[in-house]
Amino acid sequence: MSSKTTHEILAQSLAAHEVRHLFGLVGDANLFLVDAFQRGNSGQYVACHHESNAVLAALGYAQVSGRVGVATITHGPALTNVVTALVEGVRGCIPMVLLCGDTPPGDLEHLQRIGQREVVAATGAGFVEMRSPETAATDLARAFRQAALERRPVVFNMRVDLMWQPAPEAAPAVLSPPALRHQVAEDESFDEAMGMIASARRPLILAGRGAASPEAREALLALAERLEAPVATTLKAQGLFHGAPFDLGVFGGLSTPLAVDEIQKSDCIVAFGASLSRQTTESGAFTAGRRVVQILPDARENGRRTEPTLLLVGDPVLTARRMVELLDLVEIPPSGNTDADLSYRLARQREEQAALPAFAATAPGTVDYLPAMRRLDRALPPDRVLVTDLGRFVSTAWRCLPVTAPEALVYTAHFGSIGLGLAEALGAAHAAGGKTTVLVAGDGGFMLGGVGELASALRDGLDLVVILCNDGSYGAEHVQFTNRAMNPALSMTAPPDFTAMARALGAEAVCVTGPEALADAEALIANRRGPVLIELRLDPDNIPAS
């Protein structure tokens, strides 16, 4: 049996796992692995300018593609640089594998030596050690399987002193995750839940990201039609019911007035794959006094759960189908909750949303944010991928730039950090499959998140539109100061000329300082040949509250 080096075997293993994009930053502990991956022509290596951005790009890629994201970094400070990104992935339940170098165990004076297992443990990510050259492929396969099963980042720890050692060349190991046990949540609690649903006069179907597949859409809409119940989604499942006749949109803080009215009228909420967090339930206001049946694919605890009336554990698709069968079997009449009046009010709402709001007066050299975003929504392709950084601008972005499928929304706020959007947009754009990727970011987050990754997007010729909300401040802090009638000077950022900066990097860019300049932004979107930046100059004292 012939042999290759460990790093060559690892590169072959990445190919066996059908890794199409490897995001990373090379150092002495991983550069030969990346070289072997590139020479093998098994996928594209996407070089990033900061280790954190490589991990974030893999997270963005995973959210859009539905595949395990993959990134690679070297050891020591490279690992400490990615702590925030790993926590973001853990909190978001995003599967990814990080191939991370490590220092030789006997080199006690190595400058970059650190207890890497302990650092990773603090983030909540998984940790798989490459034990030897002989087990390298199997160990990496374990990391992929663990990431998929546990839905979190897993760090694959590779000692640099093993990378050039010979390893047996054999068929690369691929340990596929075992098939999940698909079952109907059918027990005593299920019978009780069916009683609640059958007796409901104003039922409502809610879908979360845990029930956001095409099969789930079909099954939940069939149940909704049988019950004559309107449907809604959590923010992260936005777009699942796009085009359905009684789609209320987002359930939670982003609900329209019509949706809030229907939620408040409901007497039974049947939630599939939704954790029922305080953001979804408006801190319990949307579920108080209502019977809530929650169906989750597994019983895993998390810190975002609100206690329902009944919790069922089972496959959302099979459970919804079984509910329809039982309703038909015992001939339960439909509720009548989706009537002509609701249809009329939804149609009126669509007409109102299509109308462009008037521009309000703002400070000289700035533009009114809400109508500006509505104009840009019309200029952008409706079938797009939306990535949002975190800031007080984000709620308006979610409302004004809706997506048509859950996988088209990349959420970067699981850890409450600003500055993650541009890197996740880089990965999302690589996974977008021909769709335009739109990033909405603030000036503070854009500076913090590594402007250099715009150069990466330009290098790769990505179809990326960056909408930069520049109010010259850290928004949350500005609000806190002004709410207390204090001087907000400490929250002001004094940002650079982002338009000139983008142009210097090679991107086309437009600065919008008033309503009349939006025509230039619309033209830039229509004629784009690669990444473009639209800088919206905003008045920090006139931005819609989140």
Side-chain angles (χ1 to χ4, degrees), residues 211-224:
S213 66
E215 295 80 10
R217 170 190 162 92
E218 180 183 358
L220 299 191
L221 285 178
L223 176 61

Side-chain angles (χ1 to χ4, degrees), residues 24-31 34 45 51 54 71-82 98-103 110 112 114 116 155-158 160:
L25 197 158
V26 295
D28 62 332
N30 69 334
L31 76 167
V34 173
Y45 172 65
E51 292 91 354
T72 182
I73 60 173
T74 189
H75 42 54
L79 179 62
T80 58
N81 277 347
V82 306
L98 174 61
L99 291 90
C100 178
D102 199 1
T103 55
H110 196 293
Q112 295 178 326
I114 191 173
Q116 298 201 159
V155 174
F156 180 68
N157 203 61
M158 315 174 299
V160 65

Side-chain angles (χ1 to χ4, degrees), residues 273-420:
S275 64
L276 299 178
S277 68
R278 65 184 180 186
Q279 285 78 21
T280 296
T281 65
E282 279 291 86
S283 298
F286 282 3
T287 53
R290 294 167 186 82
R291 292 168 292 181
V292 179
V293 178
Q294 183 184 36
I295 300 96
L296 294 177
D298 61 60
R300 185 175 308 170
E301 292 291 336
N302 66 57
R304 301 188 303 276
R305 291 254 294 267
T306 298
E307 290 303 316
T309 310
L310 280 176
L311 169 62
L312 308 179
V313 178
D315 183 281
V317 174
L318 297 182
T319 301
R321 289 173 179 167
R322 181 57 177 161
M323 288 177 172
V324 173
E325 290 175 2
L326 291 177
L327 290 167
D328 288 342
L329 182 65
V330 296
E331 299 181 347
I332 299 297
S335 68
N337 197 23
T338 51
D339 55 15
D341 177 64
L342 178 56
S343 180
Y344 171 76
R345 289 187 293 129
L346 284 167
R348 285 290 305 273
Q349 177 178 268
R350 288 190 291 270
E351 292 175 2
E352 292 169 0
Q353 290 173 337
L356 289 174
F359 285 86
T362 58
T366 67
V367 65
D368 189 9
Y369 181 45
L370 176 60
M373 290 295 281
R374 288 283 177 83
R375 283 273 298 271
L376 293 176
D377 171 49
R378 289 191 173 189
L380 290 163
D383 189 20
R384 59 199 169 218
V385 172
L386 175 66
V387 186
T388 54
D389 209 309
L390 185 60
R392 60 173 167 168
F393 57 85
V394 72
S395 293
T396 298
W398 286 327
R399 289 189 177 100
C400 292
L401 302 178
V403 297
T404 58
E407 65 272 14
L409 177 67
V410 176
Y411 187 86
T412 72
H414 298 100
F415 192 33
S417 172
I418 68 170
L420 311 188

